[in-house]
Amino acid sequence: MTPVELRGVSYAYGEGELRRPVLRNVDLQVRSGEIVLLTGPSGSGKTTLLTLIGALRAMQEGSARVLGEELRDAPETLRVKLRRRIGFIFQNHNLLGFLTARQNVAMALEQDGAVGERQRLARAGALLGAVGLQGHEDRVPAKLSGGQRQRVSVARALAADPGLILADEPTAALDKASGQEVVQLLRELAKSRGVAILLVTHDPRILDIADRIVAMEDGRIVQADTVPG
């Protein structure tokens, strides 16, 4: 199964005279274990495409098969179930400030009724260890650096063993060293776990982690390059 298969995806905001196309006939595949970077100027449709793939908004035109599920005309119940199989990483971490790192990660497991609280916290601690945060599990976000907070969000994205990770500008708020650490961590995860990663970025510092770089402009894919290994 190819985690992401898009065919002829188009999307517009507004209706009638206010209708504004933001995606135009997009075709894209992301294979298991592959890191694909989506680049392009602001307003080119990158984030809208990411939200469609992540089942965060309803499809309008074209076909999108994500983790084996067709999203065109999919009911909200199916999209909710699919979102639980996708790991999301955002630019601003979206961590809850009153919870510890361990508790933030454990929250991602609460939807699994078969896993008790003790098990959730133990798994969260193990994931934080896997992303290099041993000894920081019980700190709240305010007591962590920007790079450490983003590592917590990576651990949270991995909590439910996703088949796909979607990352929107995960290094934009980080300095060069922290940004490189986070993206190298993502690369190791993609290769060791076979997880597909689609990453939206403006950051030229991280282009070397990609298997492919897909450039967008005015809602279209204008270039797709395989990065030499």
Side-chain angles (χ1 to χ4, degrees):
M1 178 187 71
T2 301
V4 177
E5 295 184 90
L6 308 183
R7 295 284 182 271
V9 171
S10 296
Y11 194 87
Y13 293 113
E15 297 180 358
E17 293 182 359
L18 299 177
R19 188 176 185 273
R20 180 173 64 87
V22 289
L23 294 174
R24 307 167 192 264
N25 199 33
V26 173
D27 295 343
L28 179 66
Q29 286 191 335
V30 184
R31 296 180 288 273
S32 296
E34 185 178 37
I35 298 180
V36 175
L37 299 193
L38 205 55
T39 68
S42 296
S44 59
K46 305 184 300 299
T47 296
T48 298
L49 186 61
L50 206 71
T51 58
L52 286 172
I53 294 169
L56 297 171
R57 67 174 78 241
M59 291 275 295
Q60 291 178 348
E61 298 178 42
S63 168
R65 291 191 67 82
V66 178
L67 299 177
E69 301 287 354
E70 174 57 60
L71 288 177
R72 178 71 182 270
D73 299 324
E76 176 64 11
T77 52
L78 184 147
R79 291 197 288 128
V80 169
K81 289 180 181 178
L82 184 60
R83 289 199 289 268
R84 293 172 181 167
R85 300 169 57 199
I86 298 171
F88 295 92
I89 303 171
F90 302 99
Q91 174 180 338
N92 294 318
H93 324 303
N94 287 7
L95 302 178
L96 294 177
F98 58 90
L99 297 180
T100 66
R102 189 195 311 269
Q103 291 167 331
N104 266 285
V105 175
M107 276 191 65
L109 295 166
E110 287 186 356
Q111 294 155 338
D112 187 347
V115 180
E117 183 179 4
R118 182 176 295 180
Q119 290 172 291
R120 290 198 300 269
L121 290 171
R123 177 160 171 75
L127 285 165
L128 288 167
V131 300
L133 288 178
Q134 300 93 332
H136 300 281
E137 297 91 344
D138 297 317
R139 294 186 179 183
V140 294
K143 298 296 184 181
L144 299 171
S145 69
Q148 288 170 334
R149 288 194 292 271
Q150 196 61 294
R151 284 174 178 263
V152 175
S153 70
V154 171
R156 181 183 58 189
L158 293 170
D161 288 324
L164 171 66
I165 290 177
L166 301 177
D168 192 5
E169 299 281 5
T171 64
L174 304 180
D175 60 33
K176 181 177 181 180
S178 297
Q180 285 287 351
E181 288 174 2
V182 168
V183 297
Q184 289 302 331
L185 173 62
L186 289 173
R187 183 172 182 80
E188 290 165 13
L189 292 168
K191 301 313 173 188
S192 64
R193 298 186 181 214
V195 180
I197 298 178
L198 181 60
L199 192 158
V200 167
T201 187
H202 284 103
D203 190 345
R205 303 171 301 177
I206 67 172
L207 299 182
D208 59 345
I209 73 152
D211 296 301
R212 278 189 295 138
I213 300 172
V214 175
M216 292 189 69
E217 187 174 320
D218 194 27
R220 296 181 174 88
I221 290 177
V222 294
Q223 188 173 356
D225 295 327
T226 300
V227 178

